């Protein structure tokens, strides 16, 4: 997960780190401002999505504007597609016209989610640890 907003047992500190990240405060070296949203149903946590407001070199090469994760017990229920669709709307509000979204080459489910939301594959890049990432550009205003 995202090191900046990782829960370490202190919920108030966790929420404060999420707020700081959104406002661009107290960012670790190499991090950019981001907004984190939670997908919930009632009081049940389904997943989260992070929208990076800008791209630094690393995010442009491998990470992208949007990252999302769905709780394993809630996968294959359409939540990933919903999370990305909602994130694209929020990205548009931030002035992002096309969002870069990446996934590992072997993550077929995520690739389908990105393509379902209008993602056009630009290329493949290999991480320092040899993982092949697929990079897609997704228009934020096509919804």
């Amino acid at each position: 997960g995202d090191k900046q907003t990782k829960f370490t047992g202190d919920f108030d500190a966790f929420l404060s780190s999420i707020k700081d990240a959104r406002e661009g405060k107290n960012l670790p070296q190499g991090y950019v401002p981001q907004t984190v949203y939670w997908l919930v149903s009632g009081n049940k946590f389904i997943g989260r999505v992070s929208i990076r407001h800008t791209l630094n070199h690393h995010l442009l090469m491998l990470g992208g504007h949007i990252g999302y994760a769905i709780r394993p017990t809630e996968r294959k229920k359409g939540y990933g597609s919903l999370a990305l669709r909602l994130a694209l709307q929020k990205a548009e509000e931030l002035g992002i016209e096309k969002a870069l979204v990446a996934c590992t080459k072997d993550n077929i489910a995520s690739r389908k989610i990105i393509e379902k939301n209008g993602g056009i594959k630009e290329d493949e890049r290999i991480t320092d640890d040899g993982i092949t990432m697929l990079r897609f550009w997704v228009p934020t205003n096509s919804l």
Side-chain angles (χ1 to χ4, degrees), residues 14 21-22 34 47 56 70 73-75 79 84 86 94 98 103 110 112-113 119 133:
F14 175 62
R22 184 184 69 232
Q34 71 173 354
N56 60 21
I70 302 299
T73 58
E74 299 302 319
R75 292 180 184 158
Y79 291 124
L84 181 55
L86 294 171
L94 290 168
K98 284 197 300 187
C103 67
S110 191
K112 287 180 180 180
I113 288 167
M133 299 295 294

Side-chain angles (χ1 to χ4, degrees), residues 21-132:
R22 184 184 69 232
E23 296 172 0
K25 295 179 184 175
N26 304 314
L27 295 175
Q29 180 74 23
Y31 282 73
V32 300
Q34 71 173 354
T35 302
V36 177
Y37 293 97
W38 295 339
L39 189 61
V40 297
S41 177
N43 63 357
K44 184 178 188 180
F45 179 80
I46 304 294
R48 66 116 189 112
V49 63
S50 302
I51 305 168
R52 294 139 195 145
H53 302 187
T54 60
L55 296 177
N56 60 21
H57 179 74
H58 172 75
L59 292 172
L60 179 61
M61 294 297 107
L62 297 169
H65 285 101
I66 298 172
Y68 54 90
I70 302 299
R71 180 184 194 155
T73 58
E74 299 302 319
R75 292 180 184 158
K76 298 184 180 184
K77 298 179 181 180
Y79 291 124
S81 189
L82 173 63
L84 181 55
R85 187 172 70 247
L86 294 171
L88 289 166
Q89 292 171 1
K90 294 296 184 181
E92 183 181 27
E93 292 173 15
L94 290 168
I96 300 168
E97 293 179 15
K98 284 197 300 187
L100 179 62
V101 184
C103 67
T104 60
K105 187 173 185 173
D106 64 352
N107 190 340
I108 305 303
S110 191
R111 180 180 184 157
K112 287 180 180 180
I113 288 167
I114 296 166
E115 290 173 338
K116 180 179 180 180
N117 279 281
I120 304 297
K121 183 179 164 192
E122 179 175 65
D123 61 15
E124 298 180 8
R125 308 248 171 129
I126 299 178
T127 67
D128 291 341
D129 23 347
I131 297 169
T132 302

